[in-house]
Amino acid sequence: MSATARRHRTFPSLPRDYIRRRRLRRRISNAILIPLLSGVAAYFIARPTGGSGFFLPKSARRVSLSEPTNPASFVHDITPPSANRPAASSEANSIPNSAISGAYKLADGPHIVTEVPDIVLHDAKRGKVLHIRIFYPNEAGLYPVIAFSHGAGGSQSCCETLTRHWATYGYVTLQPTHDDSTVQRRNAGEEDINFLKAVRDALKKPALWQSRPQDISFVLDSLAALQKRVPALGGKIDAEHIGVGGHSMGAFTADAIAGALVDLPGHPATNFNDPRVKAVLLLSPQGPGEFGLTDHSWDHVTLPLLSMTGSLDLGAGNQGPEWKKIPFERSQPGAKYHVFISGANHMSFINAKTTLPGRAAQSDAILGYTNAASLAFWDAYLKAKPTAKNYLQSDALPDFSHASVKIFRR
């Protein structure tokens, strides 16, 4: 018996019409079942549950500076407040949440902004030069000032997603480059300098702890000089309303300017407080044990203060988010806010870039929450806007974030 005959006896042939009908039924089933199962899977993966939702509405996406948004739509009424969430304070109970909801001024503001990428000032008292980046509104007016301090190893080129955004809402932002900057040190001839070495130096060199708040005070001393050096700034700087913010070691800088005491060799409890500053923003700050900060460094800090951390935000010694909450907890009560963002890491507050494609939307959302909370804080305490203060006292941002954001108040 031939091999072909044996094969036919073992696997008898089927009519061709039957095979075609079977293939057709399989194709129809696949066309129906695959989209259906994909839709069900997508629903369970993407649905908001508790604090895992990250959502930015189309109406709140950033627009170009040449197309400013309508000033009447600063607070976007997107996500209704949760009826099951208790108010965070008695003051929040008195605020009609139906009028305060969504994200605070998330799209760019009404002002066209000009950037001065680098201007050099000479500090004769300390014998050093200081490079500064400036954003300011083009329109005539008197605008509060925000000095923003970069993290260890960084430079004035960081953080424009925040500083430019604030400028579109009527602020002059000043960003100095400190001595620990890798760019500055490399330009000075240090060929072996890198970011990790800059961070290690910042942690162990008290001279850097001292020079940073001194840089900020020198910038404020130079406000009149800056208006002469940049004629378009003339008459725009409101020196009576000044805020200082910073990220990481920049948060320490702002903390020191607010009056947090710093232990320097031979000079314990050194006070760098600058009375011209009215409010401070601390993005990923430090607790005791770094940069000369101690358990009692914040005992006499009275300025309005907003600090911010996240569930993935660790200190240089792997300290957790609770350690970063200490400046808020130990400063004097009154106008103190702490924002905790689920999923935020050390860099999330200044940069939406991520190496994980699946986290791109989450990273954008975290940066949006940072902008909303920080701008509301500046508006409340540098412009005395009641709506901004009411926003901070409400649960609008936690609700908007689907509970990814928590706000604590003292």
Side-chain angles (χ1 to χ4, degrees):
M1 183 183 293
S2 68
T4 302
R6 284 197 301 271
R7 187 181 68 232
H8 285 172
R9 180 174 296 175
T10 306
F11 300 104
S13 61
L14 296 173
R16 291 184 178 181
D17 287 346
Y18 172 81
I19 295 174
R20 282 197 292 267
R21 286 197 302 272
R22 186 174 178 182
R23 287 175 179 170
L24 180 61
R25 284 196 298 270
R26 186 182 299 121
R27 288 171 182 167
I28 293 173
S29 300
N30 289 344
I32 295 173
L33 288 176
I34 291 174
L36 179 62
L37 293 174
S38 298
V40 172
Y43 168 77
F44 282 101
I45 293 172
R47 78 193 193 284
T49 57
S52 62
F54 290 83
F55 170 72
L56 287 182
K58 291 181 180 179
S59 61
R61 289 176 183 169
R62 296 176 61 82
V63 296
S64 69
L65 291 178
S66 61
E67 298 175 355
T69 57
N70 181 355
S73 60
F74 288 164
V75 177
H76 301 276
D77 191 359
I78 307 296
T79 306
S82 170
N84 298 323
R85 186 193 311 283
S89 67
S90 58
E91 185 175 354
N93 277 329
S94 64
I95 301 167
N97 275 352
S98 61
I100 304 175
S101 60
Y104 188 86
K105 301 183 179 181
L106 197 55
D108 279 337
H111 293 285
I112 308 300
V113 169
T114 291
E115 176 187 5
V116 180
D118 186 35
I119 189 167
V120 181
L121 296 175
H122 182 257
D123 184 353
K125 185 184 298 184
R126 294 186 294 160
K128 68 176 291 185
V129 296
L130 197 66
H131 291 259
I132 301 173
R133 183 191 198 187
I134 305 172
F135 290 112
Y136 64 89
N138 285 0
E139 296 81 3
L142 197 61
Y143 302 108
V145 174
I146 301 170
F148 190 84
S149 176
H150 62 75
S155 74
Q156 65 202 47
S157 64
C158 86
C159 316
E160 70 176 50
T161 308
L162 301 177
T163 54
R164 182 189 288 272
H165 181 70
W166 300 335
T168 69
Y169 282 99
Y171 291 91
V172 175
T173 62
L174 309 173
Q175 297 176 247
T177 293
H178 300 293
D179 291 342
D180 54 85
S181 167
T182 55
V183 173
Q184 182 160 296
R185 292 173 65 175
R186 196 173 292 122
N187 289 341
E190 292 188 53
E191 296 181 358
D192 63 338
I193 187 63
N194 57 49
F195 176 74
L196 291 178
K197 186 177 187 301
V199 172
R200 288 194 298 268
D201 288 349
L203 289 168
K204 67 183 182 182
K205 290 189 175 181
L208 296 176
W209 313 344
Q210 180 175 352
S211 67
R212 276 174 156 265
Q214 290 175 339
D215 286 346
I216 297 298
S217 289
F218 173 66
V219 169
L220 302 186
D221 291 341
S222 305
L223 293 179
L226 286 173
Q227 293 182 78
K228 292 179 180 178
R229 295 280 302 278
V230 184
L233 271 179
K236 290 184 178 179
I237 288 181
D238 180 1
E240 298 300 314
H241 297 90
I242 297 173
V244 174
H247 171 252
S248 190
M249 195 177 184
F252 156 78
T253 309
D255 223 354
I257 284 288
L261 302 180
V262 180
D263 276 0
L264 298 174
H267 299 279
T270 301
N271 192 343
F272 294 101
N273 173 250
D274 194 314
R276 294 170 292 187
V277 176
K278 308 302 181 188
V280 291
L281 170 70
L282 316 179
L283 302 178
S284 187
Q286 298 77 26
E290 284 186 3
F291 305 132
L293 296 169
T294 71
D295 288 334
H296 296 284
S297 286
W298 299 273
D299 288 355
H300 303 290
V301 174
T302 59
L303 284 182
L305 177 151
L306 185 149
S307 60
M308 199 174 300
T309 188
S311 57
L312 305 179
D313 182 20
L314 301 178
N318 287 323
Q319 303 94 332
E322 286 302 314
W323 179 73
K324 291 178 176 285
K325 192 179 180 184
I326 289 176
F328 160 79
E329 293 177 327
R330 297 189 184 173
S331 54
Q332 292 296 308
K336 301 297 188 297
Y337 304 88
H338 180 72
V339 174
F340 175 88
I341 305 178
S342 178
N345 61 46
H346 187 63
M347 302 303 291
S348 297
F349 313 104
I350 62 169
N351 197 331
K353 292 181 181 178
T354 175
T355 57
L356 303 173
R359 286 177 58 92
Q362 184 184 31
S363 297
D364 284 338
I366 291 171
L367 197 56
Y369 305 151
T370 302
N371 253 329
S374 61
L375 186 58
F377 178 72
W378 295 133
D379 280 357
Y381 294 100
L382 297 184
K383 292 187 176 181
K385 289 192 172 184
T387 53
K389 187 174 182 181
N390 289 347
Y391 184 86
L392 291 172
Q393 292 289 340
S394 77
D395 279 336
L397 187 56
D399 284 328
F400 176 75
S401 71
H402 302 291
S404 294
V405 174
K406 295 180 182 178
I407 300 181
F408 304 86
R409 309 171 183 90
R410 294 180 67 229

